[in-house]
Amino acid sequence: MKQNTLVGLVSIVALAAGLYFALVVAPPQSSEPKYLQVYPQPRQLPAFELFDQDGEVFDNDRLLNQWTLAFVGYTFCPDICPTTMAELKKVYPQLQKIDSEFPIKVWFISVDPGRDTQERLKEYVSFFDPQFIATSGEHKHLFPLVRGMGMMYSMSDNMDNPNYLVDHSSSITLVNPKGQVVGRFKPQMEPGKLAISDSEQILADMPVVVNL
């Protein structure tokens, strides 16, 4: 009787230890992204034609066969844009090491074509990472593109003022290797802090996303 009790206690301890190591020491990997707001269905982007920092045409085909983290802004932005770009720069080397069939790219979409020339875009993104893509173009292409991504922008100030500001979304949108928008990383809303997307959350989710 005592031997049976001892065996039972040993079994319980072994089971508890197994659960501890399985759930705490080596927790199971989630098969779903934790932070990405996934859209119910991938969204096909409208046809667009922009220019990139090298003066080359940038259109829908340039989004194929890669994962793209897209951010809408402008180079004269005083706060959200440079902070978000710096956050992406911080995690970009680690994003490149993720085991994926397709590479992960960063795409900065300037919605201020009046000031953001090819030369300025090149200087701007090169400051963060020369591998980042920067584009701009006519509003007739930018408006439907940004709207198709589930984002927005508006020229809110008097554009006669050389220091005019542009209102724009601060989310980072994810485009799949088929050139479709699949979701977005929304900014963190905290009192007294800039509303920017958390790069660590992006880094945590991307290994899951690329293998869905």
Side-chain angles (χ1 to χ4, degrees):
M1 186 70 175
K2 290 182 179 180
Q3 183 176 2
N4 290 339
T5 301
L6 181 61
V7 171
L9 288 173
V10 170
S11 298
I12 291 172
V13 171
L15 178 60
L19 288 172
Y20 175 80
F21 279 97
L23 298 176
V24 178
V25 178
Q29 297 296 314
S30 172
S31 60
E32 298 293 333
K34 183 177 180 181
Y35 303 105
L36 178 69
Q37 183 185 73
V38 180
Y39 297 146
Q41 296 293 331
R43 300 179 179 180
Q44 193 64 47
L45 289 174
F48 66 88
E49 184 174 300
L50 308 176
F51 63 85
D52 68 14
Q53 72 264 39
D54 296 317
E56 302 293 330
V57 172
F58 192 95
D59 57 16
N60 301 72
D61 289 342
R62 294 279 298 273
L63 296 174
L64 300 178
N65 301 316
Q66 64 184 44
W67 289 95
T68 308
L69 292 164
F71 177 69
V72 171
Y74 63 115
T75 68
F76 286 85
C77 176
D79 40 37
I80 291 176
C81 296
T83 305
T84 299
M85 294 294 283
E87 283 290 300
L88 289 170
K89 169 186 171 64
K90 181 176 68 175
V91 298
Y92 193 63
Q94 295 161 277
L95 290 173
Q96 299 307 291
K97 295 178 182 178
I98 293 173
D99 185 17
S100 171
E101 179 182 357
F102 301 103
I104 299 172
K105 303 288 186 178
V106 170
W107 178 23
F108 175 73
I109 308 167
S110 168
V111 291
D112 185 16
R115 293 180 295 184
D116 285 345
T117 62
Q118 171 210 329
E119 293 78 14
R120 184 169 176 85
L121 288 174
K122 189 175 185 68
E123 180 181 7
Y124 188 77
V125 292
S126 294
F127 175 79
F128 296 103
D129 195 308
Q131 297 182 71
F132 287 1
I133 303 163
T135 65
S136 193
E138 297 179 65
H139 289 296
K140 68 179 182 180
H141 290 289
L142 289 169
F143 272 121
L145 170 63
V146 172
R147 188 168 56 246
M149 288 182 161
M151 297 190 285
M152 56 73 66
Y153 75 95
S154 64
M155 318 304 280
S156 61
D157 284 350
N158 181 1
M159 294 179 63
D160 292 332
N161 178 354
N163 298 315
Y164 64 84
L165 300 176
V166 181
D167 287 335
H168 62 88
S169 300
S170 55
S171 295
I172 293 176
T173 300
L174 182 63
V175 183
N176 69 16
K178 296 180 180 180
Q180 303 166 321
V181 180
V182 295
R184 62 181 175 175
F185 291 96
K186 297 188 69 175
Q188 304 299 298
M189 301 295 186
E190 297 181 27
K193 291 186 178 181
L194 283 176
I196 61 171
S197 298
D198 190 325
S199 61
E200 294 299 328
Q201 293 182 358
I202 295 173
L203 186 60
D205 267 4
M206 286 307 294
V208 177
V209 172
V210 301
N211 289 299
L212 287 179

